[in-house]
Amino acid sequence: MDVMEPRATGTQAVREPQQDRSRATRRRLLEAAIDCLATLGWSRTTVAVVAERAGVSRGAAQHHFRTREELVTAAIEYGTEVRLRRMREHLDALAGRRPPTLDVLTLLAEMYTSPLFRAALQLWVAASSDEQLRARVVPLEARVGREAHRLTVEALGADESVPGVRETVQATLDLVRGLGLADLLTDDSARRSRLLRQWAVTLDMALGARAR
Amino acid sequence: MDVMEPRATGTQAVREPQQDRSRATRRRLLEAAIDCLATLGWSRTTVAVVAERAGVSRGAAQHHFRTREELVTAAIEYGTEVRLRRMREHLDALAGRRPPTLDVLTLLAEMYTSPLFRAALQLWVAASSDEQLRARVVPLEARVGREAHRLTVEALGADESVPGVRETVQATLDLVRGLGLADLLTDDSARRSRLLRQWAVTLDMALGARAR
């Protein structure tokens, strides 16, 4: 009765709470999947384990995601969208003022040392020896890469029509990805802070020199 | 009899072939372990699978390495030592002439996109959710990191007493590590070449500017 009622009456006001509940369940599963991947690793992150961490029944979890691969890919996609949207809002709040280069680098480095990055790394590494998973992950990685690049160009106020600028922005993103790896087994934050301060100087010089 | 003879006679000439055989078996196992990790991934790389790929009996493999963890850590250590020794010989052959910056970067990028890097990545990621393995891998990673840093400083002719130079060299190594990750699922070589050409220009500028 509870479940059928919204469909039977068909009004927005009644249908919405159920849709909201379903969306909330889905979001809880996606967040729990990121958490499990980042802390337990790929092989221990099953739909059952994620469902338990999310406080969702296994049946409900499987209603949303039939396989681990489906769940995990959706989780990384969701987590990345949330992160990139936050960065976009951050930039919008600046209303066209260009943030200091070091602030942009710090924001990027936070993204690449977050549980989300650790979770994504588990997925990438699993996909590197699993053809089916790779076919799923490659388009996702390409989309995320393009969006991260676009936001970084905007945040740095970089002019990609100038030769070399595109490659310098790419190098910045590859650098923070490398910093994410360096933080995987030990706390690398002190070294990272010094490195980013210096990188901000180099980047301003490189982008400035190119733009001249 | 065959096995006992060297011990019984105790002469170098007789003992050596057996030691050579044992060393060769060990080396074959280490190389097969790198190959298995890079292509099959962590979970499918067992001592039995590596022994088979190496053409060594399972008993002989377990005489050398009792556990997967022992075998895999030794393999990454061995592979890294070979790689770094090759880089050292390359530098020694230059007899003090400083190689072009782009050559140094290309050599580093080759190291971080090799099967060895892919294998090491499997180990790092496995260690990130396994405390015992982490305790084994952290000192190894630190040792390798120090040695790679020292070689890069020497190859670039960088003067680390100048403020900022140490961080710029570190950033270069984090960048190539990031490039290794970017090459994991798709062939990134074309983008990487363009990026490294530009990075060589920036690096010469950064190190030059610091040294002035």
Side-chain angles (χ1 to χ4, degrees):
Chain A
M1 183 66 176
D2 211 14
V3 179
M4 291 304 290
E5 210 175 38
R7 239 184 255 166
T9 64
T11 68
Q12 272 309 93
V14 183
R15 196 185 281 123
E16 268 185 7
Q18 191 193 343
Q19 286 182 348
D20 284 351
R21 270 201 304 280
S22 176
R23 263 199 299 267
T25 300
R26 195 181 140 88
R27 203 167 48 233
R28 277 219 304 282
L29 286 166
L30 296 175
E31 281 162 3
I34 292 171
D35 188 27
C36 286
L37 274 176
T39 56
L40 304 177
W42 174 260
S43 59
R44 284 189 281 159
T45 300
T46 60
V47 175
V49 166
V50 173
E52 201 190 325
R53 187 163 298 202
V56 168
S57 76
R58 196 166 166 175
Q62 260 160 348
H63 168 75
H64 285 278
F65 304 101
R66 276 171 314 143
T67 65
R68 183 221 327 235
E69 284 69 16
E70 216 178 279
L71 167 57
V72 159
T73 315
I76 300 302
E77 185 159 23
Y78 162 80
T80 312
E81 272 166 13
V82 169
R83 274 272 167 182
L84 292 176
R85 193 164 58 231
R86 240 183 267 161
M87 188 161 164
R88 148 90 28 238
E89 285 163 4
H90 192 83
L91 285 181
D92 288 348
L94 291 171
R97 276 173 300 126
R98 186 164 136 17
T101 301
L102 184 56
D103 287 5
V104 177
L105 295 179
T106 303
L107 211 66
L108 286 173
E110 272 167 18
M111 188 148 93
Y112 284 87
T113 51
S114 65
L116 173 66
F117 173 81
R118 302 167 84 89
L121 188 58
Q122 294 281 344
L123 177 62
W124 293 337
V125 167
S128 74
S129 54
D130 178 333
E131 274 311 316
Q132 279 198 311
L133 194 56
R134 184 200 299 254
R136 237 178 222 279
V137 173
V138 165
L140 170 61
E141 202 199 359
R143 205 161 60 240
V144 167
R146 272 195 305 274
E147 182 61 11
H149 184 91
R150 193 164 43 222
L151 279 171
T152 307
V153 165
E154 192 185 324
L156 292 172
D159 177 1
E160 289 204 300
S161 69
V162 178
V165 164
R166 183 172 175 74
E167 288 74 17
T168 301
V169 172
Q170 286 178 335
T172 299
L173 283 162
D174 285 300
L175 167 64
V176 289
R177 201 185 288 126
L179 288 174
L181 254 187
D183 198 64
L184 190 61
L185 299 182
T186 49
D187 176 5
D188 188 43
S189 53
R191 186 189 77 99
R192 185 168 64 244
S193 294
R194 290 193 299 273
L195 191 154
L196 289 177
R197 267 202 301 279
Q198 186 55 39
W199 184 261
V201 173
T202 305
L203 195 52
D204 281 340
M205 186 170 69
L207 295 178
R210 305 283 109 204
R212 240 178 263 143
Chain B
M1 183 65 176
D2 211 14
V3 178
M4 291 303 291
E5 210 174 41
R7 238 184 256 166
T9 63
T11 68
Q12 272 309 95
V14 182
R15 196 184 281 126
E16 268 185 5
Q18 191 195 342
Q19 286 182 348
D20 284 351
R21 270 200 305 278
S22 176
R23 264 201 297 270
T25 300
R26 195 181 139 86
R27 201 167 51 233
R28 276 218 306 282
L29 286 167
L30 296 174
E31 281 162 3
I34 293 171
D35 188 26
C36 286
L37 274 176
T39 55
L40 305 177
W42 173 260
S43 60
R44 284 188 280 161
T45 300
T46 61
V47 174
V49 165
V50 172
E52 201 190 325
R53 186 162 300 200
V56 168
S57 76
R58 198 168 165 172
Q62 259 159 350
H63 169 74
H64 285 277
F65 304 101
R66 277 171 315 143
T67 64
R68 184 220 327 234
E69 283 69 16
E70 214 177 281
L71 167 58
V72 160
T73 315
I76 300 302
E77 184 158 24
Y78 162 79
T80 312
E81 272 166 12
V82 169
R83 273 273 166 179
L84 292 176
R85 193 163 58 231
R86 239 183 266 161
M87 188 161 164
R88 149 93 23 240
E89 286 164 2
H90 192 83
L91 285 181
D92 287 348
L94 291 171
R97 276 174 299 126
R98 184 162 135 23
T101 301
L102 184 55
D103 287 5
V104 178
L105 295 179
T106 303
L107 212 66
L108 287 173
E110 273 168 16
M111 189 148 91
Y112 284 86
T113 50
S114 65
L116 173 65
F117 174 80
R118 302 167 83 89
L121 188 58
Q122 294 282 343
L123 177 62
W124 293 336
V125 167
S128 74
S129 54
D130 178 333
E131 274 311 315
Q132 278 198 313
L133 193 56
R134 184 200 298 253
R136 238 177 220 280
V137 173
V138 166
L140 170 61
E141 202 199 358
R143 205 161 59 240
V144 167
R146 273 195 303 274
E147 181 62 11
H149 185 91
R150 192 162 44 220
L151 279 171
T152 307
V153 166
E154 191 185 326
L156 292 172
D159 177 2
E160 289 203 301
S161 69
V162 178
V165 164
R166 182 172 175 74
E167 288 74 18
T168 301
V169 172
Q170 285 178 336
T172 300
L173 283 163
D174 285 300
L175 167 63
V176 290
R177 201 185 289 125
L179 289 174
L181 253 187
D183 198 65
L184 191 62
L185 299 181
T186 49
D187 176 5
D188 189 43
S189 53
R191 186 189 77 100
R192 185 168 63 244
S193 294
R194 289 193 300 272
L195 191 154
L196 289 177
R197 267 202 303 279
Q198 185 55 40
W199 180 241
V201 173
T202 306
L203 193 53
D204 280 340
M205 189 168 68
L207 295 177
R210 302 285 110 203
R212 238 178 264 143

